[in-house]
Amino acid sequence: MEPQYLLGNEAIAHGCLEAPIDLACGYPGTPSSEVIDILRVCPGRGYYVEWSVNEKVALENALAAAWCGVRALCTMKHVGLNVAADPLMTSAYTGVTGGLVIMSADDPFAHSSQNEQDSRCYAQFSRIPCLDPASIQEAHDMVRDAFRLSEEFALPVLFRPTTRICHSKGDVVLGDAAKPGRKGEFHRDPRQYVVIPAHTRVLHKKLNEKQPGIKKRLVDLGYNHYQVRGEVAVISGGIAAEYVREVLPDNVSFMKIGAYPIDEEWLSGFVRLHRKVVVVEELAPVIEGAVREVSGTVEVHGKKDGHSPYEGEFSPGLVSGILSSAGISPAVTYPKVTPAPDVPPRPPILCAGCPHRAVFYAMRKIFKDGLYPSDIGCYTLGLQMGAVDTTICMGASITVGSGMKHAGEERDVVATIGDSTFLHTGIQGLLNAVYNGADMTVVILDNRITAMTGHQPNPTTGVTATGDPSPPVSLEAICRACGVSFVETVDPYNLVSLTTALKDAKARPGVKVIIARQACVISARRAGIKRGVFTVDQDVCTDCGLCIQFGCPGIERTGQGVRVTDLCSGCAICTQICPSGAIRKGGKK
């Protein structure tokens, strides 16, 4: 088959079709989201696919399917693996019958993440195999092969591409997609699937007994390999291994690690052929730790002696610098890149017409001295409006807010959380806050979609991942079922009703919930909703600057005064803010 120029996640999705998979589920998270997005729209698919409400739910779904003997894929980003860690750790004990591949996409440099954690550590912790692709072609091949490996050892396999693999493009040789045809059937075996202590102790021993065989098999598969070319060696893995290939001189040996756990005897045999070894890997020193354990008197350099950083995304230039630092002259060096002078900073901001902006504006007006714990989503950009004081992980805004109040904080607390995030892990926080008597306001920013990761549907959207209609959940009913007595739903484009609801909430004790419901401005545009555009009457404008302070990119100041740009989506919030009534409907895009 002729190579095709594909996005990494497209190649990964096709590898899953070649396996083939029988079930796919996941929770959206950059850089992993496109895999399920591609699989859910494949014509003639013969497998089940869903967006789950969180990663734990997704993994338990996939695990059960694999227990029934089918091949299951579960996708998430690296921080999602924290949410799924509970079933992950025990799934290594229960094992699987069909193939189970857990794709946990890491994000070095935290391009769109709250941390830079390394999923290889989870594989090491849970004692399951981990495949770590260095190129798009390898990502395609590895995810396809991972299902066979999973079935061979009756264990889940962690598949760990990074942002640079998922979101780069390259030529990929594909195979033919296979037709899924397995029918799942669960066979009762309490000793395998009921992890009471008596069973767990036996299962743990069995898991440990599998490890030597896994290590040998991974070497046989060829994802770990080396070339001996001199008395100095470089060992690398993941995308960093590709950068090493670009800059490595001909007289330096090279080992590439693509699969874990590493066979110590095989590794030791290579390391001890050399006088000095330099380890190059992104994030955690997983390879370096293994090398140091077997190195004996061989000189080892890497993160632990300061030649390589623990954080950030690598590049060929950075890898070249690591080799130089460790005493190896790279075959290629790169000039230092400096930003062009006088380029203004452009921090990310909410879209023009985003309904969240109006909520943050109103919150700051009503709760002037308030504290604003927030959550993971587009609305984290409320930081630019001074309306986000904390963000740590999915679902934490309400729990952080209740913690502040129980700590004795006397200022008002207003927590913000999106609809998808509320369903992901926010409900438990609300339930806990109400039951334990917290005093705070919760604003659910309900735009009916999981916007930040690419507009995937969630249970408020009214359609499933495959586009089938499904009754949307009632956030109001959920909040009342959690014990909240004050639940108000408002349109954030109506500043009067929004501020009235916030004032009412402020005046009441206990946990109050305001649901600010308005479709994501991008979703609305795609749905063909047109609200018109607005213009500034320069004869009326007093140039007070309040509309500029609102921060909408649809309004700008020029040498001739304030004007509405062609980014305007017609939300009309600026007309409600302008004290002189200078902004009115009209003008052209």
Side-chain angles (χ1 to χ4, degrees):
M1 187 177 286
E2 286 295 314
Q4 296 190 36
Y5 188 61
L6 295 177
L7 184 74
N9 278 345
E10 289 181 283
I12 291 168
H14 203 277
C16 293
L17 298 178
E18 294 173 33
I21 55 167
D22 303 289
L23 179 144
C25 52
Y27 186 79
T30 305
S32 70
S33 307
E34 291 86 357
V35 174
I36 292 288
D37 273 337
I38 293 165
L39 291 174
R40 71 190 175 101
V41 297
C42 279
R45 63 177 182 277
Y47 50 84
Y48 173 80
V49 60
E50 73 170 35
W51 281 120
S52 308
V53 295
N54 68 31
E55 295 84 356
K56 178 177 184 291
V57 170
L59 180 51
E60 288 164 352
N61 263 329
L63 177 61
W67 284 348
C68 292
V70 304
R71 287 185 167 179
L73 171 74
C74 182
T75 73
M76 60 196 72
K77 67 183 297 181
H78 60 295
V79 288
L81 194 54
N82 300 330
V83 181
D86 205 356
L88 171 70
M89 300 305 291
T90 307
S91 69
Y93 283 36
T94 66
V96 293
T97 304
L100 173 57
V101 175
I102 304 163
M103 172 180 167
S104 177
D106 283 1
D107 187 20
F109 194 64
H111 289 281
S112 56
S113 308
Q114 62 267 45
N115 67 39
E116 293 185 288
Q117 71 189 51
D118 192 324
S119 293
R120 293 177 299 168
C121 299
Y122 264 118
Q124 197 174 39
F125 190 19
S126 59
R127 311 212 78 187
I128 63 174
C130 174
L131 302 184
D132 186 18
S135 66
I136 295 173
Q137 180 69 60
E138 195 169 62
H140 163 272
D141 299 346
M142 275 185 169
V143 75
R144 178 199 59 207
D145 296 346
F147 289 95
R148 285 198 290 269
L149 185 67
S150 173
E151 290 172 357
E152 181 178 345
F153 288 95
L155 282 176
V157 171
L158 190 73
F159 174 64
R160 182 247 186 189
T162 57
T163 302
R164 201 55 54 181
I165 296 290
C166 294
H167 285 172
S168 294
K169 281 194 161 187
D171 287 338
V172 187
V173 178
L174 304 175
D176 293 327
K179 284 188 178 296
R182 297 187 186 188
K183 180 175 172 51
E185 183 178 1
F186 183 72
H187 298 280
R188 288 190 178 89
D189 185 355
R191 290 175 300 178
Q192 192 74 30
Y193 301 125
V194 182
V195 284
I196 60 174
H199 297 165
T200 295
R201 294 171 195 130
V202 176
L203 293 172
H204 192 186
K205 183 174 172 50
K206 288 182 177 178
L207 174 61
N208 290 333
E209 289 171 350
K210 290 180 181 179
Q211 300 304 311
I214 294 171
K215 294 172 184 175
K216 299 291 184 194
R217 183 69 177 121
L218 293 179
V219 173
D220 293 342
L221 282 172
Y223 287 127
N224 297 342
H225 55 82
Y226 61 76
Q227 291 176 298
V228 177
R229 299 188 293 204
E231 62 174 7
V232 176
V234 175
I235 303 179
S236 187
I239 189 70
E242 289 299 289
Y243 302 151
V244 169
R245 288 183 196 278
E246 290 188 29
V247 302
L248 197 66
D250 292 338
N251 61 345
V252 175
S253 302
F254 177 61
M255 170 182 275
K256 186 212 153 194
I257 302 296
Y260 305 83
I262 306 169
D263 182 69
E264 293 91 347
E265 184 179 346
W266 174 81
L267 179 65
S268 174
F270 173 79
V271 169
R272 297 191 182 211
L273 290 174
H274 299 86
R275 174 180 59 81
K276 178 168 79 173
V277 171
V278 179
V279 182
V280 180
E281 60 188 321
E282 287 181 328
L283 300 181
V286 176
I287 298 173
E288 186 175 337
V291 171
R292 288 185 182 277
E293 283 185 6
V294 302
S295 60
T297 58
V298 177
E299 193 180 325
V300 179
H301 300 291
K303 297 178 188 291
K304 292 179 183 290
D305 59 353
H307 291 287
S308 175
Y310 280 83
E311 63 288 327
E313 186 178 35
F314 284 12
S315 65
L318 188 143
V319 169
S320 178
I322 293 171
L323 298 192
S324 295
S325 170
I328 298 175
S329 298
V332 182
T333 57
Y334 300 86
K336 187 176 181 181
V337 177
T338 55
D342 302 324
V343 175
R346 297 185 65 186
I349 58 173
L350 295 167
C351 299
C354 175
H356 303 338
R357 181 179 285 103
V359 173
F360 291 135
Y361 174 83
M363 280 169 45
R364 294 296 309 273
K365 286 282 185 186
I366 305 304
F367 297 89
K368 287 187 171 63
D369 190 35
L371 296 172
Y372 311 116
S374 192
D375 228 296
I376 306 293
C378 298
Y379 46 92
T380 309
L381 298 174
L383 176 68
Q384 311 291 355
M385 298 180 70
V388 171
D389 288 324
T390 68
T391 302
I392 52 171
C393 62
M394 294 285 284
S397 60
I398 303 174
T399 41
V400 166
S402 60
M404 287 175 170
K405 294 303 288 186
H406 289 309
E409 180 58 62
E410 294 183 352
R411 286 171 286 182
D412 290 314
V413 170
V414 188
T416 49
I417 186 168
D419 51 327
S420 183
T421 310
F422 178 70
L423 297 172
H424 178 280
T425 37
I427 296 172
Q428 295 87 346
L430 182 66
L431 181 67
N432 187 72
V434 174
Y435 189 75
N436 291 295
D439 183 8
M440 62 187 294
T441 298
V442 176
V443 181
I444 301 178
L445 302 160
D446 179 11
N447 61 8
R448 313 262 96 184
I449 204 77
T450 310
M452 188 179 190
T453 48
H455 296 83
Q456 292 81 12
N458 66 54
T460 67
T461 308
V463 294
T464 66
T466 52
D468 298 319
S470 186
V473 303
S474 167
L475 296 180
E476 291 84 350
I478 291 173
C479 294
R480 292 192 177 100
C482 288
V484 182
S485 57
F486 181 91
V487 180
E488 290 286 317
T489 301
V490 297
D491 179 354
Y493 284 167
N494 185 331
L495 268 184
V496 173
S497 63
L498 175 59
T499 53
T500 299
L502 289 169
K503 287 177 183 175
D504 287 349
K506 185 177 182 181
R508 296 166 185 264
V511 177
K512 295 82 59 177
V513 173
I514 294 172
I515 301 170
R517 179 170 296 146
Q518 182 59 252
C520 165
V521 67
I522 296 175
S523 299
R525 188 181 303 131
R526 289 173 179 169
I529 296 173
K530 295 181 179 178
R531 299 188 176 91
V533 294
F534 289 75
T535 188
V536 178
D537 186 336
Q538 301 297 338
D539 295 332
V540 179
C541 177
T542 62
D543 201 22
C544 67
L546 288 178
C547 58
I548 296 294
Q549 292 171 24
F550 184 55
C552 178
I555 305 174
E556 68 177 9
R557 190 191 297 281
T558 68
Q560 287 74 46
V562 173
R563 78 176 189 98
V564 176
T565 75
D566 57 4
L567 293 175
C568 177
S569 66
C571 72
I573 293 293
C574 54
T575 67
Q576 301 170 63
I577 291 172
C578 178
S580 58
I583 306 177
R584 56 179 172 73
K585 202 165 188 177
K588 296 180 180 178
K589 275 234 173 186

